Amino acid sequence: MLPDVIGTPRLRLRPYEPADAARVLDTLSRLDVIRWLDNPPFVPMPDLDAARAWVEKVRTKEADDPRQAWRAVEVRATGDVAGCVLVSRLERVEGGFVGEYETGWHLHPDSAGHGYATEAAGALTAAAFAAGHEELNITMYPDNGPSLAVARRLGADDLGEREDPWYGGTSRLLLLRPEHLVEGPA
Ligand SMILES: CC(C)(COP(=O)(O)OP(=O)(O)OC[C@H]1O[C@@H](n2cnc3c(N)ncnc32)[C@H](O)[C@@H]1OP(=O)(O)O)[C@@H](O)C(=O)NCCC(=O)NCCS
């Protein structure tokens, strides 16, 4: 089980709440964010009800499998939610779960360029390793330079472009283990 709240020097990672729906909508209704997060078709989040449903969905998924976590990345100085970091169970393209998990991240564009994604992902993955995860996969579109930079800053092992066993197609795959973390496990 991952801790609910994780503190870093500039950030507070905490579970999503219904009150986050407006910010979730403002983030996940943007094509320039969601086009990197999943397979096409990319469907921008349409309204507040969908954002509330998203919050409920991630809370339910985590309750079903506490090795997962979706954390709102709250900036201490402002209280704003910069974005999301997650640890999520991966399903194989052919169907089925074989104990694989990924870590991932996205920011609202107004919060990019401050190091928040790297700081948040470093803290969440350290907590995940402390909670028993042995490795975390990272998968991204091959041309997602900003995300690759985050993964590299974390110290992840870059496996290069490969067939993606979870999302299909060709992805840039990386693997993060406790010993990779620049600041070490929590
Ligand atoms: C991927 C994504 C989270 C990366 O965001 P990011 O802001 O580049 O990453 P970080 O928050 O770690 O910030 C790093 C940047 O902040 C800069 N920075 C500024 N102040 C900083 C500080 N005090 N500490 C650390 N870095 C700082 C770094 O130099 C770096 O900028 P650079 O890339 O120009 O060198 C963002 O592009 C995004 O949300 N994309 C859409 C969704 C997505 O692709 N998700 C990943 C799917 S695999």
Side-chain angles (χ1 to χ4, degrees):
M1 171 112 94
L2 276 80
D4 277 351
V5 177
I6 301 169
T8 76
R10 297 182 298 167
L11 306 171
R12 184 171 167 267
L13 314 183
R14 58 152 178 85
Y16 277 91
E17 298 158 6
D20 296 316
R23 183 65 168 170
V24 168
L25 176 61
D26 192 13
T27 306
L28 295 180
S29 59
R30 293 167 185 270
L31 200 54
D32 55 344
V33 174
I34 63 165
R35 65 141 293 193
W36 301 104
L37 301 182
D38 211 334
N39 285 327
F42 306 117
V43 182
M45 188 172 271
D47 54 30
L48 265 182
D49 278 348
R52 290 190 195 100
W54 184 89
V55 170
E56 184 59 30
K57 181 186 75 178
V58 299
R59 293 183 66 106
T60 302
K61 284 171 83 166
E62 187 170 336
D64 288 347
D65 176 0
R67 288 169 67 82
Q68 303 186 104
W70 283 259
R71 294 290 175 269
V73 177
E74 198 176 275
V75 180
R76 288 180 189 275
T78 61
D80 293 340
V81 172
C84 175
V85 283
L86 61 88
V87 170
S88 171
R89 191 170 55 168
L90 283 163
E91 182 172 6
R92 289 259 156 175
V93 174
E94 65 271 19
F97 300 98
V98 291
E100 297 158 318
Y101 290 77
E102 70 174 324
T103 183
W105 38 74
H106 65 259
L107 295 177
H108 189 290
D110 70 12
S111 299
H114 299 279
Y116 294 152
T118 303
E119 187 170 318
L124 181 64
T125 56
F129 293 135
H133 280 280
E134 290 176 1
E135 58 183 32
L136 293 165
N137 296 280
I138 305 171
T139 171
M140 63 189 66
Y141 283 103
D143 58 341
N144 194 342
S147 191
L148 181 60
V150 172
R152 282 187 169 150
R153 281 191 291 268
L154 292 176
D157 193 7
D158 189 348
L159 307 178
E161 289 184 29
R162 296 190 180 197
E163 193 175 324
D164 189 316
W166 311 289
Y167 290 91
T170 300
S171 296
R172 187 75 173 245
L173 302 183
L174 298 98
L175 194 61
L176 189 64
R177 293 207 177 93
E179 64 270 22
H180 294 145
L181 280 181
V182 174
E183 294 184 12

